[in-house]
Amino acid sequence: MTGSNLCLPKVAVFGTSTVSRIIVNVLQQEGFQIEAIWGQTPEEAEFLSRELNIPYFTSRVDDVLLRKEVDLIVILCTPALHSQIAVKALGIGKHVIVQSPSGLNQDETLRMVQAAQYYPKLCSFLSNGLRFLPAVTKMKSAIQSGFIGARINLVDVRLNMGSIIGKKYSWLCDDVMGGGVLNVFGAHIIDLIHFLTEQSVTRVHGTVRTFTKTTKYIHGIRQIKSDDFVSFQMEMSGGTFASVTLSSQVCGFVQEFHVSGDEGRLIVRNGDLFGHQQDTSDEDIILFQDVSQCSSGLEDPLLPSIYLNGLSTMFSSLADLFRATAVDESNNAKFRSPSSDSKAKFATFNDAQHIQAVIEAIRTSSKERCWTKVITDDWWK
Amino acid sequence: MTGSNLCLPKVAVFGTSTVSRIIVNVLQQEGFQIEAIWGQTPEEAEFLSRELNIPYFTSRVDDVLLRKEVDLIVILCTPALHSQIAVKALGIGKHVIVQSPSGLNQDETLRMVQAAQYYPKLCSFLSNGLRFLPAVTKMKSAIQSGFIGARINLVDVRLNMGSIIGKKYSWLCDDVMGGGVLNVFGAHIIDLIHFLTEQSVTRVHGTVRTFTKTTKYIHGIRQIKSDDFVSFQMEMSGGTFASVTLSSQVCGFVQEFHVSGDEGRLIVRNGDLFGHQQDTSDEDIILFQDVSQCSSGLEDPLLPSIYLNGLSTMFSSLADLFRATAVDESNNAKFRSPSSDSKAKFATFNDAQHIQAVIEAIRTSSKERCWTKVITDDWWK
């Protein structure tokens, strides 16, 4: 800690889901004060404001954004609203954190990119906590120190989880609304591969499928249209090949993230890091074992423990960033741009646009059954 | 046991690798008498004949095949010889078991199919032990009893293993010679998917890569050309979709075989079977736990313990088949065709040809970067 919590911006949270509750807890633990909560209905907002001791609640977007004491907007609601809330918030001079998927399509994300570029002194980040997961931080250092050799040949990722569809019909049931394992988890994985390899995705091949169209709770006229199985391969700008399988056809949650090069390999299995160098031993050795307990008592399939763990570390880094800025800068510049170094680890809206472009290319590839070039819209340039 | 070991055919084994030694042990445990061993060089053959107490050794193929006391040929040598030895052996009236990959290409496998059709009373099987793995047997029963519903939506398979390349340059270093994870393990997985779904593969998309081209032992002029990473997707004749990732970029051996349908899912994780029915519980329950110890003291990356376990059960079933035949049939018919029911579980040369066609389509898909139709040659019809 480099300063007190007084220099932390006061927060408004959009969204009242279980994920919102968990993240409010995390924010409070990191010293952030939650000033306002927005819900789809006034009742939902009121319920949560009472439960979590949040002074102000509303179901009107502008009422939150216009509150002067609020300086950081955390957007966790249905993805259909992400882009418009983020763009408005930046325009009013608020810092913004947006949950993935960032928007419903590249157009929406592009508007966020433009807004972020227009207000470069404001923080505009994705809540991609995996980048901050301790095992991932160690993996990145190991890659940079040459543990696996000079270049990364292969990234091989597997996520197995239970259904992410809840008991009620919601945006999670429709990929056009931002639902499905590709939007919800694929976004994080694509970002993590981009972050670790420092390469962008050039071409993809993918198969996107919806196997479970009805459940005990969701049936009748409304069927599930969001994907529950995705397999995709990616060619990266630096020559790395990536292969990813996401399946919500099993129970529990297992994430394996393999990175291999000419001289070794690294594996993040859930929160633990394993490594192996060619010609040194037959066994994968544990390089880092996650012993952190990161539980708020609440659970949600959209926020497995490693994602929550990463998010906690991310919000802790964000708090440090604001404290460092407050110490560094003179008092009259209330929100100066935090230093580039400490910001570098956060996923930006530019990253969000790349993720969105990759996801769109994967869907096109699945439909057209061919390798598809990743096209990032940049008509604003 | 339905009879004594006297009615078991005497065996000749082609091959002197560690896998051959392990399989000789298995055969002896199941009551088979090994009469002859063939090695690439007389020295290799002699060495093994002494070590394993095998009366006859040679490096000449015909000398083995022409031995009258030998009635079962087990072909475990370099895949380049599989087809010619199998075809000759059947022509001379011997039963044949061939290790996968069955041959180097569809032409070679086709000759084996023709020979097998010409001598239907002789056993002509692949040594695909996975079909006999107890967990797989239980999985197949569970599928047939409707545990996962009326149809199989998805088969999702992952194999992670260490390098299968040894310390010396061999056929394993070249996919044209039958090496690589696709030929060696992919063949078993394709067969198992075919066996469990009772569907054939119609179209495939695949990426076949060789990331590790040199090792501490293999470098200089001779480089490794066989694949160490394969990801492929398959569309099956009954509508099932299959996704497979094979990687020899890690340590140890893990095989996960997921099958899911509308009403549930089954997972064979190494030798254990897990199951889960929709709307019944949140946890995968263990349906069968493998407690068998199947070790000969020898180990080989080409024969992980579940593969060895399956092979043991397979050879045990083969022995039962011969005993049953001996009891059923009159004495003058020395080698009558075993009953169709008990034979049904074995992978035949027709299966081998389908596997070969799928592997060839996956390689074509990887080269031409598109979904590729599986074409089974049938010019002999």
Side-chain angles (χ1 to χ4, degrees):
Chain A
M1 291 225 185
T2 56
S4 86
N5 291 341
L6 289 174
C7 56
L8 295 184
K10 291 184 178 163
V11 180
V13 170
F14 281 82
T16 53
S17 66
T18 309
V19 169
S20 305
R21 292 156 123 106
I22 297 172
I23 290 181
V24 165
N25 282 337
V26 169
L27 283 163
Q28 288 171 334
Q29 276 164 26
E30 296 305 331
F32 288 96
Q33 201 177 316
I34 317 297
E35 272 295 307
I37 185 123
W38 173 94
Q40 196 93 42
T41 65
E43 294 73 27
E44 285 171 348
E46 185 177 3
F47 183 84
L48 220 65
S49 92
R50 284 183 202 280
E51 184 187 311
L52 301 169
N53 267 323
I54 299 170
Y56 183 79
F57 67 86
T58 181
S59 64
R60 283 187 291 197
V61 171
D62 290 355
D63 288 0
V64 179
L65 297 181
L66 292 169
R67 290 192 78 79
K68 279 197 179 154
E69 69 277 24
V70 169
D71 283 309
L72 170 62
I73 305 291
V74 178
I75 305 171
L76 309 168
C77 55
T78 175
L81 298 173
H82 286 188
S83 177
Q84 52 173 289
I85 297 173
V87 170
K88 260 193 183 173
L90 287 168
I92 298 170
K94 318 277 186 189
H95 302 288
V96 174
I97 305 281
V98 180
Q99 190 183 31
S100 281
S102 52
L104 297 186
N105 51 52
Q106 269 203 74
D107 274 4
E108 288 197 1
T109 316
L110 203 50
R111 273 180 227 123
M112 293 163 62
V113 171
Q114 288 172 293
Q117 287 180 335
Y118 211 77
Y119 305 99
K121 293 198 173 172
L122 295 170
C123 290
S124 51
F125 299 142
L126 294 180
S127 66
N128 285 9
L130 281 187
R131 289 176 173 225
F132 292 83
L133 193 69
V136 167
T137 305
K138 300 260 175 198
M139 182 186 245
K140 181 141 186 173
S141 310
I143 292 170
Q144 284 168 338
S145 72
F147 186 92
I148 62 168
R151 53 171 268 155
I152 301 172
N153 293 327
L154 172 70
V155 181
D156 181 17
V157 187
R158 179 175 200 77
L159 261 80
N160 280 332
M161 67 196 95
S163 172
I164 60 170
I165 305 282
K167 294 185 178 177
K168 285 184 188 161
Y169 187 90
S170 72
W171 62 271
L172 283 163
C173 300
D174 194 338
D175 58 284
V176 175
M177 300 284 284
V181 288
L182 180 57
N183 282 326
V184 175
F185 284 95
H188 286 271
I189 297 303
I190 293 162
D191 181 55
L192 192 56
I193 294 172
H194 167 58
F195 175 68
L196 284 170
T197 61
E198 297 177 2
Q199 298 171 38
S200 53
V201 183
T202 51
R203 279 172 195 278
V204 297
H205 186 276
T207 304
V208 183
R209 294 282 183 111
T210 307
F211 290 114
T212 305
K213 297 193 175 79
T214 57
T215 67
K216 187 163 67 172
Y217 306 105
I218 297 159
H219 48 80
I221 301 165
R222 279 185 154 171
Q223 289 210 335
I224 298 163
K225 281 188 270 177
S226 56
D227 43 276
D228 51 16
F229 178 85
V230 187
S231 161
F232 60 92
Q233 292 76 47
M234 311 197 293
E235 291 178 345
M236 313 287 295
S237 54
T240 296
F241 182 81
S243 173
V244 180
T245 309
L246 312 172
S247 172
S248 63
Q249 297 278 321
V250 291
C251 276
F253 184 89
V254 179
Q255 179 171 308
E256 286 205 17
F257 199 99
H258 295 238
V259 176
S260 55
D262 287 336
E263 289 168 31
R265 55 192 166 241
L266 291 158
I267 303 164
V268 173
R269 191 173 290 126
N270 292 330
D272 305 325
L273 175 66
F274 299 81
H276 174 94
Q277 281 186 302
Q278 214 188 332
D279 308 336
T280 53
S281 80
D282 288 335
E283 294 280 314
D284 286 330
I285 49 163
I286 297 177
L287 300 181
F288 171 81
Q289 193 149 25
D290 184 22
V291 290
S292 69
Q293 292 296 322
C294 196
S295 169
S296 58
L298 289 167
E299 278 185 18
D300 194 285
L302 299 182
L303 206 56
S305 67
I306 54 167
Y307 284 69
L308 179 55
N309 185 342
L311 264 184
S312 294
T313 316
M314 192 200 89
F315 281 118
S316 176
S317 296
L318 188 71
D320 288 345
L321 206 63
F322 283 113
R323 289 190 194 102
T325 311
V327 169
D328 288 355
E329 307 289 339
S330 59
N331 280 336
N332 64 349
K334 197 175 165 198
F335 294 115
R336 296 290 288 272
S337 168
S339 72
S340 329
D341 263 13
S342 46
K343 278 178 84 169
K345 207 166 169 184
F346 287 85
T348 65
F349 290 178
N350 279 310
D351 296 324
Q353 206 207 338
H354 182 57
I355 296 166
Q356 198 64 46
V358 174
I359 288 177
E360 287 176 13
I362 291 168
R363 292 196 194 282
T364 304
S365 164
S366 182
K367 268 180 212 139
E368 298 182 0
R369 297 170 62 83
C370 57
W371 278 89
T372 302
K373 199 176 169 188
V374 176
I375 296 163
T376 309
D377 295 339
D378 55 357
W379 49 259
W380 79 95
K381 274 186 178 165
Chain B
M1 291 228 186
T2 55
S4 85
N5 291 340
L6 288 174
C7 56
L8 295 184
K10 292 185 178 167
V11 181
V13 170
F14 282 83
T16 54
S17 66
T18 309
V19 169
S20 305
R21 292 155 123 108
I22 297 172
I23 290 180
V24 165
N25 281 336
V26 169
L27 283 162
Q28 288 171 336
Q29 276 163 26
E30 296 304 330
F32 288 95
Q33 200 178 318
I34 317 296
E35 271 296 307
I37 184 126
W38 173 94
Q40 196 95 42
T41 64
E43 294 73 26
E44 284 170 350
E46 184 177 4
F47 183 85
L48 221 64
S49 92
R50 284 183 202 280
E51 185 187 309
L52 301 170
N53 268 322
I54 299 169
Y56 182 79
F57 66 86
T58 180
S59 64
R60 284 188 291 197
V61 172
D62 290 354
D63 288 0
V64 179
L65 298 181
L66 292 170
R67 290 191 78 78
K68 280 197 178 154
E69 70 276 25
V70 169
D71 283 308
L72 170 62
I73 306 290
V74 178
I75 306 172
L76 309 167
C77 55
T78 176
L81 298 174
H82 285 188
S83 177
Q84 52 174 289
I85 296 173
V87 171
K88 259 191 183 173
L90 288 168
I92 297 170
K94 319 277 187 189
H95 302 287
V96 174
I97 304 281
V98 180
Q99 190 182 31
S100 280
S102 53
L104 298 185
N105 51 52
Q106 269 203 74
D107 275 3
E108 288 197 1
T109 316
L110 202 49
R111 271 179 229 123
M112 293 163 62
V113 171
Q114 289 172 292
Q117 286 181 334
Y118 211 79
Y119 306 98
K121 294 199 175 174
L122 295 170
C123 289
S124 51
F125 298 142
L126 294 181
S127 66
N128 285 9
L130 281 186
R131 289 177 172 224
F132 292 83
L133 193 69
V136 167
T137 305
K138 300 261 176 199
M139 183 186 245
K140 182 142 187 175
S141 310
I143 292 170
Q144 284 168 338
S145 72
F147 185 93
I148 62 168
R151 52 171 269 157
I152 301 172
N153 293 327
L154 172 70
V155 181
D156 181 17
V157 187
R158 180 175 201 78
L159 261 80
N160 279 333
M161 66 195 97
S163 173
I164 60 170
I165 305 284
K167 293 186 178 177
K168 284 184 186 161
Y169 187 90
S170 73
W171 61 271
L172 283 163
C173 300
D174 194 338
D175 57 284
V176 175
M177 300 284 284
V181 288
L182 180 56
N183 282 327
V184 174
F185 285 95
H188 287 272
I189 297 304
I190 293 162
D191 181 55
L192 192 55
I193 294 173
H194 167 59
F195 174 67
L196 283 169
T197 61
E198 297 177 3
Q199 298 171 37
S200 54
V201 183
T202 50
R203 280 174 194 276
V204 297
H205 186 276
T207 304
V208 184
R209 293 282 182 110
T210 306
F211 290 114
T212 304
K213 296 192 176 78
T214 57
T215 67
K216 188 163 68 172
Y217 305 106
I218 297 160
H219 48 80
I221 301 165
R222 279 185 155 173
Q223 288 208 337
I224 298 163
K225 280 187 272 177
S226 56
D227 44 276
D228 51 16
F229 178 85
V230 186
S231 161
F232 59 92
Q233 292 77 48
M234 311 196 294
E235 290 178 345
M236 314 286 295
S237 54
T240 296
F241 182 80
S243 173
V244 181
T245 309
L246 312 172
S247 172
S248 63
Q249 297 277 320
V250 291
C251 275
F253 184 88
V254 179
Q255 179 171 309
E256 285 203 18
F257 200 99
H258 296 237
V259 177
S260 54
D262 287 336
E263 290 169 30
R265 54 193 166 241
L266 291 158
I267 304 164
V268 173
R269 191 172 290 126
N270 292 330
D272 304 325
L273 175 66
F274 298 81
H276 174 94
Q277 281 186 303
Q278 214 188 331
D279 308 336
T280 53
S281 79
D282 288 337
E283 295 280 315
D284 286 329
I285 49 162
I286 297 177
L287 299 181
F288 172 81
Q289 193 149 27
D290 183 22
V291 289
S292 69
Q293 291 296 322
C294 194
S295 170
S296 58
L298 288 166
E299 279 185 18
D300 194 285
L302 298 183
L303 206 56
S305 66
I306 53 167
Y307 284 68
L308 179 55
N309 185 342
L311 264 184
S312 295
T313 315
M314 192 198 89
F315 280 118
S316 176
S317 296
L318 188 70
D320 288 345
L321 207 63
F322 282 113
R323 289 191 195 102
T325 311
V327 170
D328 287 355
E329 307 291 337
S330 60
N331 280 335
N332 64 347
K334 198 175 167 197
F335 295 113
R336 296 289 288 272
S337 169
S339 73
S340 327
D341 263 12
S342 45
K343 277 177 86 171
K345 207 167 169 184
F346 288 84
T348 65
F349 289 178
N350 279 310
D351 296 324
Q353 206 207 339
H354 183 58
I355 296 166
Q356 197 65 46
V358 174
I359 287 177
E360 286 175 14
I362 291 169
R363 291 196 195 283
T364 304
S365 164
S366 182
K367 268 181 209 135
E368 298 181 359
R369 298 169 61 82
C370 59
W371 279 89
T372 303
K373 199 175 168 190
V374 175
I375 296 164
T376 309
D377 295 340
D378 55 357
W379 49 260
W380 80 95
K381 274 186 179 167

